[in-house]
Amino acid sequence: MTVRHPYKRLGVSPYANEEEVWGSRNFLLEQYSGHEGSEESIEAAFERLLMTNFKQRKKTKINLKTRLKKQVDESPAWVKNLLSFVELPPMDIIFRRLFLFAFMGGWSIMNSAEGGPAFQVAVSLAACIYFLNEKTKSLGRAFVIGLGALATGWVCGSILVPIIPTVVIHPTWTLELMTLLVAYCFLFLGCTFLK
């Protein structure tokens, strides 16, 4: 059955929300129960409104990948060049590397009182260079990116850590340790997402 004016048939305005449409449908079905023709027209009007609502939602649905790809395509050349250095690896690789650097961070925290975390930094840098070399097949490039990630992390940590209120920081954690934790984050990001 087709209904020409589904809003009028259900007794709601064209600006009614879904809850009002459902309420009107249920009320009218109770009121006209037993009258087959009325029940069919109420259901037909309700289905037409649902389909119209569904089509509107589908039409306005945001396709994020297409929109981002369009923005990248329309972006300046320097942005395209910058994005050519970034990739998104499979989730298992991300989690493995995240676990490795989280383990190194935990190890550094546990041994922070003894002589500093120099060995953990060396192992983390070596792991970062190894992962980058696997990806880029160029040891020189991997070495430069790894050292760059470590240096950037160390500088950012040196700037950001003193800003953190001392109430948030564990009393036994030194500035060097906190800076190193920031550097581990940069090493993780560098060896996982840069190419």
Side-chain angles (χ1 to χ4, degrees):
M1 175 179 271
T2 59
V3 178
R4 286 191 180 187
H5 306 288
Y7 290 105
K8 191 183 266 188
R9 178 65 185 108
L10 291 177
V12 294
S13 76
Y15 306 106
N17 62 25
E18 193 173 336
E19 189 175 301
E20 292 171 332
V21 172
W22 273 93
S24 177
R25 172 199 172 259
N26 293 339
F27 173 77
L28 290 173
L29 284 176
E30 281 180 25
Q31 191 174 7
Y32 292 102
S33 68
H35 192 268
E36 194 173 318
S38 295
E39 287 178 348
E40 286 179 11
S41 74
I42 292 167
E43 287 295 340
F46 178 71
E47 287 174 11
R48 184 164 174 200
L49 288 180
L50 282 182
M51 287 307 295
T52 304
N53 190 6
F54 174 74
K55 287 177 185 175
Q56 285 175 340
R57 277 196 235 160
K58 193 173 183 181
K59 204 182 295 183
T60 60
K61 185 178 178 184
I62 298 172
N63 188 345
L64 191 59
K65 280 188 178 180
T66 306
R67 183 176 275 180
L68 285 175
K69 186 172 172 48
K70 184 179 176 185
Q71 286 178 349
V72 168
D73 290 342
E74 294 172 355
S75 61
W78 65 272
V79 173
K80 290 179 187 176
N81 289 337
L82 189 63
L83 290 176
S84 69
F85 290 106
V86 179
E87 72 175 354
L88 183 65
M91 289 305 287
D92 64 323
I93 290 175
I94 294 173
F95 284 126
R96 275 191 239 145
R97 292 180 185 171
L98 181 63
F99 175 76
L100 172 72
F101 287 102
F103 173 76
M104 297 308 278
W107 188 14
S108 297
I109 291 170
M110 299 304 287
N111 294 332
S112 64
E114 311 166 7
F119 180 71
Q120 292 90 333
V121 173
V123 170
S124 298
L125 179 60
C128 182
I129 292 171
Y130 172 77
F131 293 139
L132 286 166
N133 186 38
E134 259 187 354
K135 220 185 311 187
T136 62
K137 305 293 185 220
S138 168
L139 185 60
R141 182 180 175 138
F143 192 75
V144 168
I145 293 173
L147 277 178
L150 178 64
T152 305
W154 200 269
V155 169
C156 288
S158 297
I159 294 169
L160 294 176
V161 170
I163 298 172
I164 300 172
T166 55
V167 177
V168 179
I169 301 172
H170 194 275
T172 61
W173 291 8
T174 63
L175 178 66
E176 179 188 22
L177 176 64
M178 293 294 293
T179 303
L180 182 62
L181 294 176
V182 174
Y184 285 148
C185 293
F186 275 79
L187 283 170
F188 162 73
L189 293 173
C191 76
T192 306
F193 298 106
L194 294 181
K195 58 179 176 178

